[in-house]
Amino acid sequence: MAGEANLLALLDLLGVPPQDRDHAARQPLAIKRVKARQALFRWGEPMRALAIVRHGSFKLCHLDELGYEQVSGLAMRGDVLGMESLDLPQHDSDVVALEDASVFVLPRDQVSALSLRMPVLGQALQQASSRRLRQSQALVDVLAAVASEVRLARFLLWHSRQMAEDGWSDRRLHLRMGRRDLASLLGVAHETVSRSFTALSMAGLIAVNDRDIEILDPTRLQGYARSTRRPQEDSRSVTPLRPTATARPPSAPRSLFVA
Amino acid sequence: MAGEANLLALLDLLGVPPQDRDHAARQPLAIKRVKARQALFRWGEPMRALAIVRHGSFKLCHLDELGYEQVSGLAMRGDVLGMESLDLPQHDSDVVALEDASVFVLPRDQVSALSLRMPVLGQALQQASSRRLRQSQALVDVLAAVASEVRLARFLLWHSRQMAEDGWSDRRLHLRMGRRDLASLLGVAHETVSRSFTALSMAGLIAVNDRDIEILDPTRLQGYARSTRRPQEDSRSVTPLRPTATARPPSAPRSLFVA
DNA sequence: CGCGCGATTGAAGCGACTCAACGGCAGTGG
DNA sequence: CCACTGCCGTTGAGTCGCTTCAATCGCGCG
């Protein structure tokens, strides 16, 4: 359930250069493991600590009182969790693991003391906070797109960039969430997500195999994502999509991992 | 164009209790004034300083390269601007004044030094950062609503709470933005915003007079905002809206400031 | 006054939601 | 081993809401 490490490992995760590290970094630090579908934080729970994702991924969501949950964000390796509740007595949102995961635990009452003793930590946290803020605003951009296919395209590109920042391929993506969660995040019906996947796939922009996505044509996908609304199927215009009847898809939805 | 004050005034704005203030708070501090529709920050511009809103309000937006702007947030008194770019060389978004406004200017290279000399400042900034993060996630919730009228209802309630936090009335709102900006923020066409206003108004939930909004029935408006989709016009259910033909609206859209 | 801009309203087309059925896959128990 | 049962993802059909294009009105400003 729990493990132990020291601040050094955390600073490493947050990308603090080795030379900036204090000797104080030997300070012990708790590690918490969370199994898939388990909650790390729950809404209303007393806010006791920050958590920094070590491996695995999480979804942030708000419970639409009694019933549906609204996914409002994702968190991956290096992301800070609980930051949005740092100045509150209780957690403001649910944080649920999408897969088996582990986090560093930073008790809130130690945050300011540690930051004072070790300025680089405070700066790293501030940096992480900035990243989350940008991520959240990027999500607003995704959601603001009117057409569902454009939303999906923007999401995929955003996710692709996220992966690229962590040194992964920006072409092959593995979604950690099901269609329902994704639909909640994108603000559409889950059937619509499905249809949008096949539409982008039919257009040859991506290849889809369940939760494995490959971006086949980044350039056109970007052009497509830019459009405020669904692009016209004007053949001379950029980004032809939505074939009138016949286009260039290979007769069936492109799939990964098939001959 | 510019003015001068000291850190004391800033700490005051950020809600730091007087007893916690350092004598160092006499540190001089620049004030910048921005006229309506002017940009405080621009995308790509070198990131030089944070700004804290003293009075007036701002919109955050991203330029949908060449052409449309996507409004992705609002900022009011006490909000920190530029936080999302704190760890970047350049600004990540545009920040435009919705009305004549002024801000405290906190050069980025002084942020860490000042925070170190005066821990309460650092904490206050962290707190402000948390607030922005919550605000941004709340906006995601607003945008995730499927029906446009529900989006508008959620936005109005959210805005109402924001105003209440600042000690203003939570019933009478003055929107600082036009229908177009609001439409961009809500992710719908501006005509739809207009129609949603009249719909909520016809239902007796709010009264509308251009940018002045009065919330007439907070309880029913909240119930309405909760619904994932447009509530059924089921008369025994909560939140009757969308009159089949005849309902209870006073024959014309309710307006403020009329006999 | 005329001009432009913002807000509202109307009409028409299409896109997303809903309801529904189907196939695949995992876990379970006979 | 194999039916049985859910759950997930996909696809189809129909309704309704949102977008689009358009006209109108009111208002501030040169």
Side-chain angles (χ1 to χ4, degrees):
Chain A
M1 190 61 152
E4 186 144 337
N6 54 32
L7 263 182
L8 217 127
L10 175 56
L11 293 176
D12 201 39
L13 177 63
L14 291 175
V16 175
Q19 64 271 20
D20 291 348
R21 288 174 197 159
D22 215 289
H23 52 282
R26 313 215 74 87
Q27 166 94 23
L29 191 61
I31 289 179
K32 182 170 185 179
R33 292 172 210 287
V34 186
K35 284 205 274 268
R37 315 203 111 267
Q38 263 194 339
L40 175 62
F41 300 143
R42 284 208 176 284
W43 188 93
E45 202 176 56
M47 164 59 187
R48 294 203 183 86
L50 289 180
I52 296 92
V53 181
R54 217 163 67 104
H55 76 263
S57 52
F58 294 82
K59 64 177 175 184
L60 317 183
C61 36
H62 293 260
L63 250 51
D64 230 336
E65 59 249 24
L66 274 105
Y68 287 98
E69 71 177 21
Q70 174 55 51
V71 181
S72 62
L74 298 179
M76 312 188 332
R77 179 182 159 84
D79 278 325
V80 181
L81 296 170
M83 193 66 95
E84 74 280 350
S85 313
L86 194 56
D87 59 331
L88 297 178
Q90 304 177 333
H91 279 287
D92 184 57
S93 59
D94 286 13
V95 177
V96 177
L98 290 170
E99 56 194 322
D100 288 359
S102 71
V103 296
F104 288 113
V105 178
L106 210 57
R108 86 183 304 180
D109 50 24
Q110 291 182 27
V111 172
S112 44
L114 280 176
S115 298
L116 223 57
R117 270 179 48 204
M118 202 179 326
V120 285
L121 176 64
Q123 284 168 11
L125 286 178
Q126 219 165 43
Q127 208 172 58
S129 184
S130 290
R131 281 186 49 220
R132 286 227 57 86
L133 205 45
R134 282 200 302 280
Q135 203 221 28
S136 193
Q137 288 190 355
L139 193 54
V140 170
D141 275 13
V142 169
L143 282 164
V146 282
S148 61
E149 297 167 18
V150 176
R151 286 191 187 193
L152 180 57
R154 289 190 186 179
F155 170 79
L156 291 176
L157 287 169
W158 168 75
H159 197 263
S160 158
R161 280 182 220 111
Q162 294 270 108
M163 298 311 278
E165 280 183 16
D166 272 14
W168 296 78
S169 164
D170 60 343
R171 307 289 283 264
R172 299 180 100 89
L173 306 177
H174 178 74
L175 306 180
R176 268 74 163 204
M177 34 173 42
R179 296 288 190 267
R180 290 184 148 73
D181 279 344
L182 185 52
S184 172
L185 191 64
L186 297 182
V188 297
H190 72 273
E191 298 98 325
T192 303
V193 173
S194 210
R195 283 185 244 267
S196 299
F197 266 123
T198 67
L200 293 179
S201 162
M202 292 291 288
L205 300 182
I206 63 175
V208 181
N209 185 290
D210 199 30
R211 298 183 186 182
D212 289 305
I213 313 294
E214 185 179 0
I215 298 180
L216 298 175
D217 193 335
T219 313
R220 278 208 304 148
L221 189 59
Q222 276 164 21
Y224 190 60
R226 294 193 214 298
S227 60
T228 306
R229 40 212 70 278
R230 183 186 309 284
Q232 303 308 317
E233 28 179 319
D234 191 343
S235 49
R236 63 189 150 73
S237 154
V238 277
T239 325
L241 192 54
R242 205 134 268 256
T244 332
T246 133
R248 47 164 304 269
S251 83
R254 301 280 289 267
S255 280
L256 277 178
F257 317 135
V258 293
Chain B
M1 189 61 154
E4 187 144 339
N6 55 30
L7 263 183
L8 217 127
L10 174 56
L11 293 176
D12 200 39
L13 177 63
L14 291 176
V16 174
Q19 64 272 19
D20 291 350
R21 287 175 198 159
D22 214 289
H23 53 283
R26 313 216 72 89
Q27 167 95 21
L29 191 63
I31 289 178
K32 181 169 184 179
R33 293 172 210 285
V34 186
K35 283 205 276 266
R37 314 200 114 271
Q38 264 194 338
L40 175 62
F41 300 142
R42 283 207 177 283
W43 188 92
E45 202 176 56
M47 164 58 187
R48 295 203 183 86
L50 290 179
I52 296 92
V53 181
R54 219 165 65 105
H55 77 264
S57 53
F58 294 82
K59 64 177 175 184
L60 317 183
C61 37
H62 294 260
L63 248 53
D64 229 338
E65 60 250 22
L66 272 109
Y68 289 97
E69 71 176 21
Q70 174 56 52
V71 181
S72 61
L74 298 179
M76 313 188 332
R77 178 183 160 85
D79 278 325
V80 181
L81 297 170
M83 193 67 96
E84 74 281 348
S85 313
L86 194 55
D87 59 333
L88 298 178
Q90 304 176 333
H91 279 286
D92 183 58
S93 59
D94 286 12
V95 177
V96 178
L98 290 170
E99 56 194 322
D100 288 0
S102 72
V103 297
F104 288 114
V105 178
L106 210 56
R108 85 183 305 180
D109 50 23
Q110 292 182 26
V111 172
S112 43
L114 280 177
S115 298
L116 223 57
R117 270 179 46 205
M118 204 180 324
V120 286
L121 175 65
Q123 285 168 10
L125 286 178
Q126 221 165 41
Q127 209 173 64
S129 184
S130 290
R131 281 185 50 219
R132 287 226 58 85
L133 205 45
R134 282 200 301 280
Q135 203 222 28
S136 194
Q137 288 192 355
L139 193 54
V140 170
D141 275 13
V142 169
L143 281 166
V146 282
S148 63
E149 297 166 18
V150 177
R151 288 190 186 192
L152 181 57
R154 289 190 185 179
F155 170 79
L156 291 176
L157 286 169
W158 168 75
H159 197 263
S160 157
R161 280 182 220 110
Q162 293 270 109
M163 298 311 278
E165 278 182 17
D166 273 15
W168 295 79
S169 164
D170 60 344
R171 306 290 284 262
R172 300 180 97 90
L173 306 177
H174 178 74
L175 306 179
R176 267 75 164 202
M177 33 174 38
R179 295 290 188 265
R180 286 183 143 75
D181 279 342
L182 185 52
S184 173
L185 191 66
L186 298 183
V188 296
H190 72 274
E191 298 97 325
T192 303
V193 174
S194 210
R195 283 185 245 268
S196 300
F197 266 123
T198 66
L200 293 179
S201 161
M202 292 292 287
L205 300 182
I206 63 175
V208 181
N209 185 291
D210 200 31
R211 299 185 185 181
D212 290 306
I213 313 294
E214 183 179 0
I215 298 181
L216 298 176
D217 193 334
T219 312
R220 279 207 307 149
L221 188 60
Q222 277 166 18
Y224 189 61
R226 293 194 215 297
S227 58
T228 306
R229 40 212 70 281
R230 181 186 310 285
Q232 305 307 319
E233 29 179 320
D234 191 342
S235 49
R236 62 190 150 73
S237 154
V238 276
T239 323
L241 192 56
R242 206 138 268 258
T244 332
T246 129
R248 49 162 303 269
S251 83
R254 303 278 289 265
S255 280
L256 277 177
F257 318 135
V258 292

